[in-house]
Structure formats: C-alpha cells, structure tokens
Amino acid sequence: MAHDHGVRRRLVLGTLMPGFEGTTVPAWIDEAYAAGLASVCLHGPNMAGSQALSSLCASLRAGRPDVLIAVDEEGGDVTRVHYLEGSPEPGNAVLGRLDDTRLTRDSAARVGRELTAYGINLDFAPVVDVNSADDNPVIGVRSFGVSPQVVGRHSAAWIAGLQEAGVAACAKHFPGHGDTAVDSHLGLPRVTASREVLDERELEPFRAAVDAGVACVMTAHIVGAIDPEVPATFSERVLRGVLRQELGFDGVIVSDALDMVGASGTIGVPEAAVRALVAGCDLLCLGSQTTASALEEVVDAVLVAVAQGRLAEEQLVEAHGRVARLAAAYPAANPPSPPGHWPSEPLELEVERAFEIAEVAQSWLASPEPPCIVQVETWSNPAVGIVPWGPAAIGAATDPAAVPKGAKVAVVGRGLVAGHPAWDLFERLRAGDHRTIIVECGWPRGGADIVTFGGSAAVARALVRLLGVPA
C-alpha cells in the first residue's frame, strides 16, 4: 500500500538517529520530533556534567516521552556518560581476562542502572568483536579478548546485565571489526580472512549475542569475505543473508555512524543512508554533528529512493516498525537523580588480577625507593575521544620535570609502538639513575613491564594502588 508524502516522511524520520552539537536541545530536534523523529544519539561533546546530562535527557523526553536516547557507554575506555572524568568500569579486555561472567554481568548492570537513572534507554554496547589483530587501531581493549568462546560468553553476560536493568543492548560491529588494521572512522578496512575463519571466529560471539536476546546489532563499515565488494553496512548479503537468515536475528539493525569515512567518505551521508536502508538497516546513526539541513538532506534522499523504486516502501515500513517496537520494549521512566558510581576497593583488587606483570616490574614493586608515576599523553582514536585516562585521570601522575631525586618511576602510556614518546622518556629517566619501568594502558604491543589492558579511571585506580602511589 502506497502512503502519501507526509506519511512517508514520518516513516523515514522514524528510522533516523541524529546527533547534535551543544549541551542543550536545539530547536530543530523538537521540530523533527513533531515530524516523526524517534531517536537521538548523545556524544562526548554533549556532556557537561551529571546535572547537565539529567537536564538534557529530561528536555529530550519533554518533546517526545517515548524517544530512544542512545549513547556509546561501553564501560571502559569508550564512555560518554563519564566523558569528563573517565569510566568507573574496567572495560571489556579486563573483564575477559578475569573471565568471571558474574563480574561482567554486574559491570553491565551498573552501567544499565546509571543509564536508566538518566533516562537513556539504548546503549551501543557491548563490543563483541574478537580482537584478532594485535595492531588493531580501533578495537583493542574494547574487546573481551582473542578467543571467540571467551568473547561470546562475556558478550552474553554483558547483554543480560544491561537489558535486565531496562536498557537495550547493541552488539557491535557486525560481522566483526577485530581483524582490521584500519580505523573505519578514517578509512575503509578490509578483512582478508576466509569465510570459514570468519564463521568460526568473528561470527561466534554474534551467535552468542543473538542467543542471549540482544535487542540490536550494529553494522561495521568493513569489507570482507562474506561480501568482498560492498561494505557490510550496505550489504544485503551480510545483513539479510547472514545476520537475519543464518543467525536468526529479528531485532533492530543499527548502522554505525554514517559520517565515518568508511561509510560516506566517497558518497556522502544521504546516499550512505539510502544504501544502508536498502541493505536492511532499520535505524541509521547519522553522526555527532548532524544539523537541521543535514537531516533534511537525508530525509529527501530516502524519499527520492522510495519514489524511484530503489527502496521498497514495505521495507521502510518494516524498519520503522522495528524501531517503534524497540522503543516500546525499553521505555524510560521519569528518572531520579543519577547515582554515584565509583567502584569499591574489592573491585580494584579484582581488576589488578587482570594485569600482566613482568619480573622486572615485580622487582620494581619490591624496591624501597618512593614511587612516582609519569604519564605520556597519547592520541586516541575517534571512538574513545578526548577522555581522561590512566593515573592522570585520578590525579596520580607527576610532571616529568618534577620527578623527585631518588624516586623509582613508572612511565605510563598506551599504544606503545616503536617510536612512541614514552620510550624516549623511559630511557631518559633510567639514564638519570631512576629505577624505571614502563606501563602499557592499552592492548599489549610488546616490551612493556606492566600491561593493564585498559586506561579507564577504574583501571587507573587499580594500577595506582598496585604501584603504591597516593591518589
């Protein structure tokens, strides 16, 4: 049955999820609500503290009480709610190394309770990618690990903890972003593994997520063996053939942000939106800097695609319906004030068990000199953003020029590849007669004396406790 232009426009808006700039709701969002917009996504630059976030979410709901408010709150290095201070949760890599699904479920439940308190009802987590490539520039410690079985069982536990708290979970990035050496924010990654390897490795955690009843699955802007020509976000073979038919997923398929280079770098966001809907996406994440005019360009492009027969109207109705059912399944109550959320001392002790500690570091820990931490700032990928990390996030780092004479020093960095400035500082301090070790707060790249498998504030607290430095 064909719908008139006004109804079609409402259907299109019901499949779109814009972000916006600023810490207050822009007028064009309220106008879009009235026209049918059903979802918004909050990003790091929208954050201005707990009370401001409460007010922002309340304002979003005042315009449309059943709106889906989404964030990337992975509980670790990628955090939005704690964008200004760092996450109080350890993150996936630490949880995977501890390999206690109770801890993972509890971590997700804490995240869920906090999101619920703000009125946020869709979380783009967990990351269920297997970190198959040590030099992966965008997954790394966001993954539960290198074993599909470990990733699968912790993904299921995380989903259960979050959804039991009343927040929809979203397994990402389908069909697996772990075996890549390119960040899809910046380019189009290609996975070279065979289909057989993908089935046994990358797809296994997604099967576990689907079996756990995950509400959403997010696509990846990657090319691989399933469809060697078309990025997964735009591939019917990947989304309808594998995710829907082979894995039996019947929930909402969400696109990763369409403003990423891997999606729209050569075609633009409006065309990317059309291709994603045609392929089988239900909800389109448009990006953090969407404007009123950019939203209208996407709406117009989709309407033209329907009119020209590129996108079947029935398909648009189906996508709109899935999004509406998701919002109905995860309603947000009038939220109370957000709870405090710093981990307890026992959790810090648990986190410490996940660290890799070499013999030279054991010797450093046992030596009698007063300890000192120096942190080397490190570029982070766009998924992480500009979030405080490591000991500096909790005020436990010292300026290199202020290292006391006779102190033993732990030099902290992340992504410690050859040529990283942390290695230079390490050598200078050691040459200055300081007993010195080097600490990796990311995925191990080789050579570090301690590896923490994360840089969140929760991990930093455990590390500072281990090193014996007052915070």
Side-chain angles (χ1 to χ4, degrees):
M1 173 181 168
H3 296 90
D4 65 30
H5 180 82
V7 172
R8 281 184 179 175
R9 193 168 187 277
R10 292 192 72 83
L11 291 172
V12 173
L13 281 165
T15 69
L16 304 183
M17 175 182 284
F20 56 87
E21 295 183 304
T23 57
T24 57
V25 181
W28 65 266
I29 288 285
D30 285 329
E31 292 166 5
Y33 279 161
L37 185 71
S39 183
V40 292
C41 185
L42 300 179
H43 299 267
N46 298 125
M47 303 300 161
S50 176
Q51 289 304 315
L53 178 57
S54 291
S55 296
L56 177 60
C57 291
S59 296
L60 287 167
R61 292 213 172 278
R64 180 163 182 169
D66 63 343
V67 66
L68 279 168
I69 302 177
V71 292
D72 285 288
E73 191 61 40
E74 296 176 9
D77 284 27
V78 174
T79 178
R80 299 297 179 255
V81 171
H82 297 280
Y83 196 76
L84 303 182
E85 72 275 6
S87 174
E89 293 301 321
N92 286 3
V94 168
L95 292 169
R97 284 179 59 78
L98 293 173
D99 201 12
D100 182 339
T101 54
R102 174 187 57 85
L103 292 175
T104 298
R105 190 169 183 148
D106 288 349
S107 180
R110 285 191 296 272
V111 171
R113 287 194 295 271
E114 187 170 35
L115 296 183
T116 299
Y118 284 110
I120 296 167
N121 52 347
L122 172 55
D123 189 5
F124 292 142
V127 170
V128 307
D129 302 308
V130 178
N131 198 56
S132 310
D134 286 343
D135 61 347
N136 193 308
V138 69
I139 303 301
V141 298
R142 300 167 67 195
S143 168
F144 288 111
V146 300
S147 160
Q149 291 72 36
V150 169
V151 175
R153 63 175 169 264
H154 286 277
S155 297
W158 215 97
I159 289 162
L162 186 76
Q163 294 192 164
E164 286 169 4
V167 178
C170 181
K172 62 186 186 185
H173 308 81
F174 190 82
H177 206 316
D179 190 18
T180 60
V182 173
D183 183 346
S184 53
H185 293 86
L186 309 174
L188 179 60
R190 180 174 291 275
V191 176
T192 58
S194 69
R195 174 63 195 269
E196 291 72 27
V197 169
L198 295 181
D199 281 343
E200 295 175 4
R201 189 178 63 188
E202 269 71 20
L203 294 185
E204 184 58 30
F206 285 100
R207 292 189 187 95
V210 171
D211 289 345
V214 70
C216 303
V217 171
M218 178 179 281
T219 67
H221 309 319
I222 60 172
V223 175
I226 299 172
D227 190 332
E229 303 298 329
V230 180
T233 301
F234 307 145
S235 172
E236 291 188 60
R237 192 182 307 173
V238 171
L239 302 186
R240 297 186 189 282
V242 177
L243 183 54
R244 291 284 190 217
Q245 295 175 13
E246 292 185 23
L247 273 60
F249 179 65
D250 62 0
V252 169
I253 299 177
V254 185
S255 78
D256 205 347
L258 294 179
D259 64 345
M260 294 163 63
V261 174
S264 59
T266 61
I267 60 175
V269 172
E271 175 61 17
V274 171
R275 294 187 188 187
L277 286 169
V278 169
C281 288
D282 302 303
L283 183 59
L284 309 184
C285 185
L286 300 182
S288 62
Q289 297 181 324
T290 312
T291 62
S293 60
L295 181 67
E296 284 306 310
E297 287 175 7
V298 171
V299 172
D300 289 345
V302 176
L303 288 172
V304 168
V306 173
Q308 293 177 342
R310 285 184 66 196
L311 173 63
E313 190 163 344
E314 295 77 10
Q315 198 170 322
L316 185 61
V317 171
E318 187 177 311
H320 180 277
R322 283 201 184 95
V323 175
R325 287 192 294 275
L326 176 66
Y330 290 90
N334 185 28
S337 296
H341 191 135
W342 285 106
S344 62
E345 186 174 292
L347 179 59
E348 290 173 22
L349 294 172
E350 294 281 6
V351 169
E352 186 182 313
R353 290 195 299 108
F355 296 171
E356 276 185 1
I357 306 174
E359 284 187 20
V360 67
Q362 296 284 9
S363 175
W364 186 96
L365 291 168
S367 67
E369 302 95 329
C372 179
I373 299 172
V374 173
Q375 182 167 316
V376 179
E377 279 307 313
T378 306
W379 175 87
S380 61
N381 64 62
V384 174
I386 307 170
V387 176
W389 65 278
I394 58 171
T398 297
D399 187 283
V403 172
K405 186 175 181 179
K408 61 182 181 181
V409 184
V411 176
V412 175
R414 57 182 177 183
L416 297 178
V417 296
H420 191 289
W423 294 111
D424 244 11
L425 180 59
F426 169 78
E427 294 296 345
R428 291 203 313 272
L429 289 165
R430 191 166 63 169
D433 293 328
H434 293 283
R435 183 189 289 266
T436 308
I437 58 171
I438 194 154
V439 180
E440 167 68 81
C441 278
W443 195 266
R445 303 299 179 101
D449 303 308
I450 297 177
V451 181
T452 66
F453 292 88
S456 74
V459 174
R461 288 174 181 270
L463 173 63
V464 168
R465 179 192 182 98
L466 171 69
L467 297 178
V469 175

